[in-house]
Amino acid sequence: MDIKEKIKQIEEQIENTVKEIKSSRTAQEIKMKFLGKSGEISSLMKNMRDVPPEERPNMGKLLNALRQWTEERFDKLESGLKTIELAKRYADEKIDVTMPGQVAPDGAYHPTTLVTRELIDIFLGMGFEIFEGPEIENDYYNFTALNTPKDHPARDMQDTFYLAENLLLRTQTSSGQIRVMENKKPPIKILSPGKVYRSDDDATHSPMFSQLEMLVVDKGLTLCDLQGMLDEFVKKIFGREVKTRLRPSYFPFTEPSVEVDVSCFECGGKGCRLCKGTGWIELGGAGMVNRRVLAGCGIDPDEYTGFAFGLGIERIAMFKYGINNIKLLYEGDTRFLKQFKG
Ligand code: PHE
């Protein structure tokens, strides 16, 4: 075939191909197909060897022109497409800097956490140290060492989740008292917050709840020291005008044992719905550490005395924030929780 004819054919082929190209990337790829080593133009160049010498200069000129034309044709196409692509990218990625930002929802501390921190802060200010015991406890620490051996009727006070014969979910943070006293010589001043478990479930009871345990062991401590510390504590948490009252009670690990009440911080003691008309709100259990418990931990009860106090944290949160169902504290409903944002 005539070389001019062939060139024309290639040019037409290129024009047809170019029409179909939609992206600068494809333009570049196809260009290489025509101009690359195995492309048609290159193979024409290779055929020069078979052309009679007198025709070579002319043919070389024509092929070089074709080569150059092809290159320019594709470069033009590529740069045109690049301009369009860039404009499209700018349009797609356009941001309106005057638009209000997307506010990431921020969390709030859980009311139980808020109250726990407040309680801990008060006691840390009085020189207490924190001790955290295990939630899975031996029967010994949860009961026996707390003067509540097997078959002791006081075991019925707390419906226990047993995991095995001697393994249970602790029913009280009092188990921590033993762990501390076994390992530390008096003076002892510890605070033990944590989750406890009881098979109990209604509007004011949950199978899992939190307690805060306080234990002080030293020489010459009496019930008056306990009451003095409780007075100071309730004033800090509920307000200066709040008073405490100790009522006789029973716990196997304290002797004497008391129930600690505070004068109602809602009505000031006159009687209202919060205190059910009594003027008093029950705060927790307390007492002087039973001699048998001290002795069992290797502490001489003739030399040392101690007092302990335990309260339910959710109960305090419910009173403090006017929450009427303990379940609200465990459901994780953000409509409830966001009300506690500081
Ligand atoms: N552990 C007791 C309870 O859960 C409370 C308590 C703690 C009583 C410390 C006396 C001393 O009911």
Side-chain angles (χ1 to χ4, degrees):
M1 194 199 291
D2 179 23
I3 185 71
K4 284 189 184 155
E5 193 81 355
K6 181 77 195 163
I7 289 175
K8 206 161 166 233
Q9 220 177 59
I10 294 180
E11 282 176 354
E12 260 167 32
Q13 202 190 333
I14 288 177
E15 282 301 348
N16 282 336
T17 316
V18 157
K19 274 188 224 144
E20 302 297 318
I21 296 178
K22 299 273 183 303
S23 81
S24 60
R25 194 181 202 165
T26 332
Q28 210 168 27
E29 280 164 16
I30 308 263
K31 175 182 159 183
M32 292 321 290
K33 260 201 195 143
F34 279 104
L35 293 172
K37 271 198 190 114
S38 47
E40 263 186 277
I41 301 177
S42 303
S43 62
L44 280 180
M45 296 258 191
K46 272 180 212 141
N47 290 343
M48 288 266 275
R49 263 180 264 135
D50 310 328
V51 172
E54 63 278 12
E55 282 177 33
R56 276 187 202 166
N58 191 37
M59 188 167 160
K61 237 191 226 166
L62 288 171
L63 285 180
N64 272 334
L66 171 66
R67 209 193 159 104
Q68 205 179 339
W69 176 85
T70 309
E71 226 163 279
E72 281 165 10
R73 184 72 194 86
F74 275 102
D75 287 351
K76 204 173 121 208
L77 174 74
E78 195 185 323
S79 82
L81 285 169
K82 268 195 174 145
T83 313
I84 296 168
E85 282 162 2
L86 197 65
K88 186 175 172 332
R89 225 182 104 188
Y90 282 154
D92 286 351
E93 291 177 11
K94 189 173 165 180
I95 46 163
D96 179 355
V97 291
T98 65
M99 289 261 286
Q102 269 182 16
V103 182
D106 54 341
Y109 282 117
H110 191 279
T112 311
T113 307
L114 289 174
V115 171
T116 307
R117 289 192 173 191
E118 200 180 331
L119 296 170
I120 287 176
D121 265 3
I122 294 173
F123 282 109
L124 287 187
M126 296 178 177
F128 280 79
E129 273 176 77
I130 304 237
F131 169 82
E132 284 180 292
E135 286 173 34
I136 293 177
E137 207 29 299
N138 294 328
D139 187 276
Y140 177 76
Y141 288 103
N142 196 81
F143 288 125
T144 309
L146 285 162
N147 195 32
T148 322
K150 287 215 163 80
D151 302 326
H152 193 292
R155 286 210 179 196
D156 293 344
M157 287 163 79
Q158 301 169 356
D159 279 323
T160 311
F161 289 115
Y162 280 91
L163 303 173
E165 168 86 12
N166 280 317
L167 213 56
L168 47 84
L169 292 175
R170 69 176 173 194
T171 60
Q172 49 189 355
T173 42
S174 301
S175 51
Q177 288 188 29
I178 307 300
R179 290 191 176 269
V180 170
M181 287 192 283
E182 272 185 352
N183 288 303
K184 197 168 150 45
K185 297 227 156 346
I188 291 169
K189 257 178 117 174
I190 63 111
L191 199 61
S192 193
K195 292 192 190 86
V196 298
Y197 303 83
R198 290 181 200 179
S199 179
D200 217 349
D201 199 6
D202 60 35
T204 53
H205 294 88
S206 153
M208 181 201 79
F209 63 105
S210 321
Q211 282 190 332
L212 183 71
E213 190 89 6
M214 174 190 84
L215 171 73
V216 182
V217 184
D218 206 346
K219 284 180 181 159
L221 293 176
T222 68
L223 204 62
C224 289
D225 297 300
L226 169 64
Q227 177 139 36
M229 186 163 271
L230 290 172
D231 276 343
E232 193 50 32
F233 161 64
V234 300
K235 282 183 168 53
K236 285 217 166 90
I237 180 147
F238 297 118
R240 283 274 128 200
E241 60 298 336
V242 170
K243 292 194 283 287
T244 59
R245 174 178 83 173
L246 302 185
R247 269 184 297 122
S249 185
Y250 175 77
F251 299 102
F253 41 93
T254 46
E255 181 58 37
S257 300
V258 293
E259 212 74 53
V260 183
D261 294 342
V262 287
S263 58
C264 179
F265 37 85
E266 189 77 16
C267 63
K270 287 194 287 290
C272 67
R273 246 180 58 187
L274 192 69
C275 58
K276 298 199 182 86
T278 63
W280 295 93
I281 287 170
E282 204 179 297
L283 200 61
M288 299 307 291
V289 180
N290 193 307
R291 289 175 61 87
R292 294 183 60 152
V293 175
L294 289 174
C297 294
I299 296 174
D300 181 356
D302 291 324
E303 195 180 353
Y304 292 102
T305 51
F307 58 77
F309 168 57
L311 59 74
I313 296 175
E314 284 84 350
R315 230 180 102 73
I316 307 279
M318 289 171 77
F319 278 121
K320 205 173 147 79
Y321 299 115
I323 299 165
N324 60 8
N325 192 325
I326 196 167
K327 300 295 176 308
L328 286 165
L329 293 169
Y330 303 104
E331 282 165 348
D333 188 331
T334 51
R335 290 169 303 180
F336 168 75
L337 293 174
K338 71 182 173 197
Q339 297 175 50
F340 298 91
K341 230 181 250 184

